[in-house]
Amino acid sequence: MWVQRTLTLPASRRGFHLMTSRIVDAMPEIGSIQTGMMQVFIQHTSASLTINENADPDVRTDFETAMNHVVPESLPYVHTLEGPDDMPAHVKASMMGASVQIPIGGGRLKLGTWQGIYLCEHRDRGGARRVVVTLMGE
């Protein structure tokens, strides 16, 4: 079985936002897959996806702090037409990645106990974000 759907995630403030339940709820076909994979791909260059700790909200704050330290807005960027947060957002998105893959088993995502799927919004006002979710399996 193959299923592919494009989802629009609501505009989020800059930071790291758990999206696991929103994605799973939009893909009820997961429940019928005994063995397979789910890929989530973001169609934007200034936001990214990652999988990490889903329990303690402090992790989200620390992710944002660390990324701003590694990729500060104060560097002498050349690409500045879209504002001071744009080029750093592109760099962060390339570092974090545009997609995640999660195995499916027994009709459920095989995420670890404390893992969740994050939308990493790197712009101050990035707007709604589109992700393409592809399920494959039997």
Side-chain angles (χ1 to χ4, degrees):
M1 168 180 30
W2 286 82
V3 177
Q4 188 173 77
R5 198 166 287 129
T6 300
L7 310 177
T8 300
L9 303 176
S12 299
R13 63 178 168 67
R14 184 170 168 167
F16 290 73
H17 308 279
L18 277 170
M19 293 291 161
T20 312
S21 61
R22 186 178 298 271
I23 292 167
V24 169
D25 291 348
M27 304 301 289
E29 297 87 351
I30 292 170
S32 64
I33 298 176
Q34 290 306 302
T35 303
M37 294 291 287
M38 179 178 79
Q39 181 194 42
V40 186
F41 173 79
I42 191 162
Q43 295 182 308
H44 301 274
T45 60
S46 57
S48 58
L49 299 169
T50 195
I51 295 173
N52 216 295
E53 157 87 51
N54 70 356
D56 185 352
D58 290 344
V59 169
R60 300 168 213 178
T61 301
D62 290 343
F63 257 125
E64 181 65 18
T65 300
M67 289 305 291
N68 290 334
H69 179 75
V70 173
V71 185
E73 288 185 13
S74 61
L75 291 177
Y77 297 105
V78 176
H79 174 76
T80 59
L81 293 176
E82 297 178 59
D85 67 335
D86 186 49
M87 192 60 217
H90 291 308
V91 174
K92 291 173 187 177
S94 286
M95 290 173 67
M96 301 291 295
S99 68
V100 293
Q101 286 194 137
I102 302 112
I104 300 170
R108 298 180 55 206
L109 296 182
K110 300 293 279 183
L111 288 166
T113 302
W114 306 112
Q115 289 182 318
I117 304 167
Y118 280 91
L119 164 67
C120 313
E121 178 55 67
H122 304 301
R123 299 288 315 264
D124 291 330
R125 289 175 291 285
R129 301 298 192 171
R130 287 180 320 280
V131 294
V132 178
V133 182
T134 305
L135 300 177
M136 53 207 119
E138 51 187 32

